[in-house]
DNA sequence: CTCGGTTTGTTCTCGCGTTCACAAACTCCT
DNA sequence: AGGAGTTTGTGAACGCGAGAACAAACCGAG
């Protein structure tokens, strides 16, 4: 389920606050979901709670982390080191959650002199070798929209099976490759849509 | 619906390619959805297609833009001009879609000397005045997680009713305020989850 | 040991979104 | 003008996730 990471973060927060055990009601409130939904999600992993008591925070946290795969170390490559690529490379929240940026790639030779967050920017053509050397399975695309499909094809071609795409394009990839799209303009447009309905008061 | 912006972008692409009219099948492929779903979504706005022919690209594009509210100009404030805030402020895709960044706010006085993308960074305490002067309805939070709830409260307090949150926290806001959350770590964790299932081959 | 209070795990129902399938409507060719 | 082919708009069935409700299990007090 896509909610497990949210639970994981809520549990981490609780653990840092010194909470040793918590009820589904409490955790659900921290995660912003219904308590019945939370219990159903957790029961899908197994019976890690104790009736009448609740869940052991650290134990449940480990179980969810194991289920998601955060106990492993995931090597990641980022392609397109522009505005967004810089921010992503500098983001500490990735490493702390088991994701290790092994390479930053860009097609622009002028970028290749840069070192961002301790990793030097390398030519995009190094992709195949880097993916092979580090067994990379996850790639991040932060290039302009026009280049995104080409980058995705190259990624798929050398064995990457999960792509996080920031470019505003629908990528076509073969079966078995997961793509998640983050489109900030669309997020804003959805907000604007609701905003317009609020003020304009359309009822239809 | 949350898919309208996707259709809008697909239509824009088609228009730039010189396509004057298109079938629901064609547009659905470009948007990555089922054609029946697309037709039902569009019929919700009205009957803008012609049977046996398809949809007039530019006409439909305008109708969707009007429905979403992209024909208007939406003033936006960004709070937290760190790594991510810089990238957002520099992003040209916002302005081209009707969103105008009227202010960049940060609590750190050292940031106040900076000018990012032609807009100078101002103290966070200027929030109320800026929102009032520009009738801002949409706020973007790019601060660390600990500050996010405080920032959201201040935003709500001065009349902002739509928030785009990049901090990894669940914000609690009163009824009537929309919050959309973008959490990149969660996106990666979802990919890792599927990745693990692929390789490890769990069947349960 | 028993009983009341508490909380999980699960079942059942409801509602929504998706998808199929088809009639209505339009174009073009003859 | 008429018919064949094409495409929209929509009614109906399907599937699935969400939420309510309840029984089973656990703890602690007496
Ligand atoms: N900056 C933002 O806040 C933001 C917000 C939303 C979406 N986006 C999207 O993210 C993407 C990147 O945005 P940005 O602001 O960083 O753009 P940018 O122009 O600053 O950076 C793009 C980088 O990609 C590199 N590049 C171009 N073609 C390439 C290729 N074929 N292979 C490898 N690298 C290539 C360029 O050299 C450049 O360094 C864009 O698609 C944009 O629409 C950005
Ligand atoms: N950088 C990324 O790529 C990335 C990716 C995913 C999520 N995030 C999240 O986005 C947020 C920002 O990330 P970042 O890398 O830009 O962090 P950052 O530390 O570079 O920037 C945060 C900025 O917020 C300012 N700030 C702190 N408290 C504030 C307050 N109360 N009011 C106003 N401004 C305040 C700081 O002065 C700083 O300039 C974080 O919550 C982070 O978890 C960032």
């Amino acid at each position: 389920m896509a909610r497990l990471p949210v639970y994981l973060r809520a549990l981490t927060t609780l653990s840092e606050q010194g909470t040793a055990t918590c009820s589904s009601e409490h955790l659900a409130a921290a995660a912003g979901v219904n308590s019945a939904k939370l219990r159903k999600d957790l029961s899908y992993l197994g019976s890690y709670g104790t009736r009448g008591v609740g869940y052991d925070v650290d134990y449940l946290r480990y179980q969810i982390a194991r289920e998601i795969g955060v106990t492993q170390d995931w090597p990641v490559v980022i392609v397109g080191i522009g505005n967004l690529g810089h921010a992503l490379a500098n983001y500490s929240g990735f490493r702390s959650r088991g994701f290790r940026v092994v390479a930053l790639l860009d097609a622009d030779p002028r970028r290749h002199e840069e070192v961002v967050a301790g990793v030097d920017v390398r030519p995009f053509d190094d992709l195949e070798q880097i993916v092979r050397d580090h067994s990379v399975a996850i790639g991040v695309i932060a290039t302009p929209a026009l280049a995104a499909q080409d980058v995705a094809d190259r990624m798929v071609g050398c064995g990457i099976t999960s792509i996080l795409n920031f470019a505003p394009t629908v990528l076509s990839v073969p079966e078995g490759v997961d793509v998640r799209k983050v489109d900030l303009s669309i997020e804003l447009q959805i907000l604007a849509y609701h905003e317009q309905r609020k003020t304009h008061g359309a009822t239809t």
Side-chain angles (χ1 to χ4, degrees), chain A residues 25 62-63 77 80 98 113 190 199:
Chain A
E25 208 80 42
Y62 173 74
Q63 293 298 340
V77 294
E113 302 157 13
I190 293 172
T199 58

Side-chain angles (χ1 to χ4, degrees), chain A residues 87-88 90-91 94:
Chain A
L88 295 174
N90 278 312
Y91 184 43
F94 290 155

